[in-house]
Amino acid sequence: GVIDATDLGAIVPGFTSSISVFGPPVFSLRGVNFNSFQASAPPTVSSYIDEASIPYPVMGQALFLDVERVEVLKGPQGTLFGQNATGGSINVIAAKPTASLETGFRVDVNHWGETNAEGFVSGPLSDTLRARVAVQTSQFGGWQRGYFLNDQKNGDQNKVAGRLLLDWTPTDRLTVAVNVNASYDKSEQQQAQGFLFTPVNPAAPSAGPFLSYVGNEPDDARDADFDLGYDTRADSNTFQAILRADYEITDSLTFTSITNYIDTRFRSPHDQDGTAVPMQPAVSKADIKSINQEVRLAGDFADGRVRFVLGGSYADDDITEGVANDYVGYTGFPPNSPAEWRYDLTQKALAVFGNVDFEIVEGLTLSGGARYTDTEQSIFGCTFDRGGTPGIRGISQFIVAGVDPALAAAYVPGGCITIDDGPPNFTFLPVFADQTQKEDNVAWRGIISYEPTDQVLLYGSVSRGYKAGTYPVIINLFNSVIQPVTQEELTSYEAGAKLTLGDGRVQLNAAAFHYDYKDKQFFSFLPVLQGALVTATLVNIPESTVDGFEFDITAEPVDGLRIRGGATYIKTEVSNYVGFDFAGQPLDFSGKEFNYAPPWSANLDAEYEFQTSGSVRPFIGGSVTYRDNTFADLGEPASFAMPSYTLLDARVGLISDNGWRLSIYGRNLTDEYYWNSVASAGDGAVRFTGEPRTFGASFSFRY
């Protein structure tokens, strides 16, 4: 059932995925995440396809197409994978071209009508060239419904992805691989549920209809009101091309070059207030072009006891991002105040890295590595008025008129309305944000591992990783709040064991860890104009910590029975920090847990394949997923709470020796009403729910 990264929480303890109010996903591992609605926000959990970076989660539309396997690495991965992997890394390995002709397909249909289909063809084109073509699509399946002021339906899928892989081996020592993939998403985007209704201005015309939801809050996962006739369809696409060359200089030395280009267009519409009252429908927009070049030398000597890798990389991301927000009836602004905040950003990184594994004696290995990274971020942009009477420019005009009435004339329809409130100039005229930030860092790691037998591996590690700084992309009437957050630093201490037990029938992994966090980035609020107004922005928390332990097990206690499960416990805590709440009042965050950091998370899956003498064997299976209470915002605000939940899934079907598999499944069998994200919506708050009980069938065939 895993078709994209947002589904990984069903099988990976400690991993959560949530939806921000403007659509970009937020990934979290062991409580480490960055809660921002920006598409351009550098993540804490990085994504890779065949060792090529997916710099931002919105660029991973085709990530899970035709995969061989998925690796989820926990803890800082900055030495080899680079910055923006302080929480860990999701590494997807695509299924590769084959030496002989192979083909296959899979079709999945659920009772909402959602249809997922995937197919591939793979084989040789010549003695030196192999190819693989794969396609995937998701269609139909809207499960959301209007429930109070409208009866609209929402959620139909319209996604298509395709991939071409070429493996060319012109000589015994040279291998060239090409990976070209493209995708588009024109699906109806999941809409939020409004559940907290607190108008900024209760006297505004839209406040009365909006308050009619009080006492009529949603109580079902399917409930979702949005403006009548509102077009919820995305208009997003991604193109990626990867060129990899591996040349064996000698039998023990290989040179590798990976060139990676990605171009993404992201358009995600959301009715932010979560009601059918016309208030603030918006479209999040991002255009991102990213190029990354990595070269490295890898090899071994001393009879293989020393293995090393040395390399360098360069990344250059060009981004245009913003939100077009209509503000039709948002009570904090004059009616009909359309606005758009739009910024051009760049993210550049130049790095050199190395890693050495040294087997001191048989079974005892020391590993060490480091990466130096030089980064630069820039921003240029503004919040723009988009017409309307009096329009959002009227707010800027009112503010600057208090300084000099003549200044109001500078704020015109369609123009920039961000006020230059300094420092250093304090002109109170419209101004474009125009800033650059440069930083550097050294990520490193040291590991000692001991393997007394083939069945036991013990290890201890200390590592440090960094997440790049960035700029806030927000509606902004005051230039003073467009300030960068600096890079954040995470130092990890971890010890663990990997055990093979029961004559190879049981694999048990366990780890305990402690993280020291410096300058953690988070989304918050700041008072401006000497506390007269409050605006959203990004800030750094000086210090915070994560402590925890986890285990996972894979077992086949008897022939045909496969069991997989695990659990993660974390205690996250902010240390000595006082910030501001959404009203601009001081708030002590000290001792509070991180957002999207459930203390306990656990998964268990079991499947039994009946042993028969025929070519067709029945199977039965099921899974349990548990997530503890957590919060969608720092400070543990009650309205942003996400209660614990338990999901039960089951499946039954047939497996054939002739290559086909048929299954019937049920997901969320108890119809648990839960949500995985909560966000502020100006006049209240909204949440994004998990899918309700779903039944379906799946058929696959491989030849």
Side-chain angles (χ1 to χ4, degrees):
V2 176
I3 60 174
D4 59 39
T6 60
D7 299 324
L8 280 177
I11 57 174
V12 180
F15 179 88
T16 62
S17 175
S18 58
I19 302 173
S20 67
V21 69
F22 290 123
V26 177
F27 299 150
S28 176
L29 266 173
R30 293 177 172 174
V32 178
N33 63 72
F34 182 41
N35 180 26
S36 173
F37 53 67
Q38 297 175 211
S40 61
T44 59
V45 180
S46 64
S47 301
Y48 284 80
I49 175 72
D50 288 346
E51 299 184 26
S53 172
I54 309 293
Y56 307 97
V58 296
M59 307 179 89
Q61 297 174 19
L63 190 61
F64 279 62
L65 167 63
D66 192 30
V67 300
E68 176 183 304
R69 68 183 187 276
V70 179
E71 302 172 347
V72 179
L73 308 181
K74 300 178 182 180
Q77 304 295 321
T79 306
L80 293 178
F81 289 96
Q83 60 182 1
N84 306 330
T86 47
S89 182
I90 301 169
N91 303 321
V92 177
I93 291 83
K96 298 300 185 287
T98 52
S100 59
L101 178 62
E102 294 186 13
T103 186
F105 68 88
R106 175 189 58 84
V107 178
D108 184 299
V109 181
N110 67 34
H111 80 281
W112 306 113
E114 180 176 338
T115 302
N116 296 289
E118 181 177 329
F120 77 92
V121 176
S122 176
L125 299 179
S126 71
D127 291 341
T128 60
L129 182 63
R130 301 175 183 179
R132 188 181 186 105
V133 177
V135 293
Q136 181 185 73
T137 185
S138 296
Q139 300 292 329
F140 320 120
W143 54 269
Q144 289 191 298
R145 64 185 179 195
Y147 75 101
F148 181 51
L149 293 183
N150 69 41
D151 60 356
Q152 299 182 100
K153 174 176 167 291
N154 184 64
D156 275 351
Q157 300 296 293
N158 183 5
K159 299 178 183 178
V160 174
R163 175 178 293 148
L164 169 64
L165 293 177
L166 297 173
D167 282 356
W168 182 45
T169 53
T171 71
D172 291 341
R173 293 194 177 272
L174 176 63
T175 300
V176 179
V178 175
N179 180 335
V180 178
N181 59 76
S183 62
Y184 75 74
D185 182 1
K186 298 182 183 295
S187 306
E188 294 174 344
Q189 299 299 280
Q190 181 179 349
Q191 297 302 300
Q193 293 184 340
F195 73 95
L196 184 64
F197 308 100
T198 55
V200 176
N201 178 13
S206 59
F210 184 64
L211 286 171
S212 69
Y213 276 86
V214 176
N216 295 289
E217 292 87 353
D219 59 5
D220 187 281
R222 298 185 63 193
D223 295 344
D225 269 7
F226 51 94
D227 296 353
L228 192 63
Y230 183 59
D231 188 355
T232 64
R233 289 174 295 179
D235 186 10
S236 304
N237 56 70
T238 292
F239 172 82
Q240 181 178 26
I242 306 166
L243 176 63
R244 173 173 178 150
D246 292 280
Y247 181 67
E248 295 183 14
I249 301 172
T250 69
D251 290 344
S252 58
L253 184 63
T254 300
F255 172 80
T256 299
S257 170
I258 302 175
T259 305
N260 178 27
Y261 172 77
I262 314 180
D263 188 344
T264 290
R265 167 192 165 94
F266 177 76
R267 299 291 185 272
S268 180
H270 286 275
D271 188 338
Q272 291 182 81
D273 54 276
T275 73
V277 181
M279 298 189 75
Q280 47 176 332
V283 178
S284 178
K285 304 177 180 180
D287 296 293
I288 308 175
K289 293 183 179 180
S290 175
I291 187 166
N292 182 283
Q293 176 64 53
E294 178 176 316
V295 294
R296 63 179 186 250
L297 278 172
D300 63 78
F301 57 89
D303 296 326
R305 291 174 55 197
V306 178
R307 300 180 301 277
F308 70 91
V309 57
L310 296 171
S313 68
Y314 176 73
D316 189 345
D317 304 336
D318 291 313
I319 305 157
T320 298
E321 182 179 8
V323 176
N325 202 320
D326 284 346
Y327 291 121
V328 179
Y330 168 55
T331 68
F333 292 160
N336 189 25
S337 296
E340 180 170 357
W341 53 98
R342 185 170 66 251
Y343 296 90
D344 295 325
L345 304 103
T346 65
Q347 301 265 5
K348 298 180 180 180
L350 179 65
V352 292
F353 60 90
N355 192 83
V356 176
D357 300 324
F358 175 37
E359 187 178 20
I360 303 172
V361 296
E362 186 175 357
L364 180 63
T365 301
L366 290 179
S367 301
R371 174 186 287 256
Y372 171 78
T373 306
D374 185 86
T375 67
E376 178 181 303
Q377 302 93 33
S378 71
I379 186 170
F380 181 83
C382 185
T383 296
F384 296 91
D385 177 272
R386 290 173 52 227
T389 304
I392 196 172
R393 64 188 178 279
I395 299 175
S396 297
Q397 291 171 336
F398 175 79
I399 293 170
V400 301
V403 178
D404 182 350
L407 294 171
Y411 295 85
V412 298
C416 175
I417 58 169
T418 299
I419 300 168
D420 182 7
D421 62 332
N425 297 321
F426 298 96
T427 68
F428 293 97
L429 293 171
V431 64
F432 282 75
D434 188 3
Q435 299 184 41
T436 299
Q437 172 177 250
K438 295 182 179 181
E439 296 181 290
D440 61 6
N441 61 69
V442 177
W444 49 263
R445 71 173 182 174
I447 303 173
I448 182 170
S449 60
Y450 179 53
E451 194 171 355
T453 71
D454 292 341
Q455 289 77 40
V456 177
L457 172 66
L458 308 174
Y459 71 90
S461 70
V462 182
S463 59
R464 175 170 294 171
Y466 291 85
K467 177 185 178 300
T470 190
Y471 285 90
V473 177
I474 54 174
I475 183 169
N476 174 42
L477 299 182
F478 304 95
N479 191 52
S480 61
V481 302
I482 298 293
Q483 299 297 326
V485 284
T486 59
Q487 62 189 3
E488 64 181 31
E489 173 190 295
L490 190 151
T491 305
S492 166
Y493 306 86
E494 180 171 334
K498 300 178 180 295
L499 309 174
T500 302
L501 309 171
D503 295 328
R505 287 184 175 269
V506 178
Q507 176 68 40
L508 176 64
N509 306 315
F513 50 89
H514 169 79
Y515 294 166
D516 280 329
Y517 232 138
K518 289 186 178 180
D519 295 324
K520 175 177 169 58
Q521 303 166 3
F522 82 107
F523 183 85
S524 187
F525 301 90
L526 285 177
V528 293
L529 289 183
Q530 297 181 338
L533 293 171
V534 179
T535 186
T537 189
L538 300 174
V539 299
N540 292 100
I541 297 176
E543 294 183 355
S544 50
T545 60
V546 182
D547 290 286
F549 62 85
E550 66 185 9
F551 73 90
D552 65 82
I553 186 170
T554 303
E556 189 174 359
V558 297
D559 291 344
L561 176 61
R562 293 183 295 275
I563 300 173
R564 181 183 62 211
T568 299
Y569 170 78
I570 55 173
K571 178 178 174 55
T572 60
E573 185 174 352
V574 174
S575 303
N576 299 323
Y577 179 74
V578 177
F580 298 91
D581 64 14
F582 65 91
Q585 299 301 309
L587 179 62
D588 189 356
F589 292 88
S590 303
K592 303 296 185 181
E593 69 178 49
F594 294 179
N595 51 287
Y596 300 118
W600 282 100
S601 60
N603 304 86
L604 177 65
D605 184 272
E607 180 173 298
Y608 181 68
E609 183 179 315
F610 293 87
Q611 305 301 297
T612 66
S613 58
S615 62
V616 177
R617 300 176 303 282
F619 70 88
I620 185 170
S623 64
V624 181
T625 301
Y626 174 76
R627 293 293 180 270
D628 207 347
N629 301 289
T630 188
F631 295 86
D633 199 8
L634 286 174
E636 304 178 15
S639 57
F640 282 69
M642 297 193 296
S644 63
Y645 62 88
T646 302
L647 304 180
L648 302 176
D649 299 347
R651 58 192 180 273
V652 62
L654 301 171
I655 301 175
S656 171
D657 290 340
N658 295 320
W660 58 264
R661 175 185 174 108
L662 172 66
S663 65
I664 299 172
Y665 61 82
R667 296 175 185 150
N668 190 5
L669 289 175
T670 59
D671 205 19
E672 183 92 351
Y673 178 35
Y674 70 100
W675 45 93
N676 55 36
S677 184
V678 183
S680 173
D683 282 317
V686 298
R687 58 195 177 208
F688 289 88
T689 65
E691 290 194 29
R693 180 166 46 221
T694 300
F695 297 103
S698 178
F699 180 80
S700 63
F701 176 76
R702 292 179 68 93
Y703 171 76

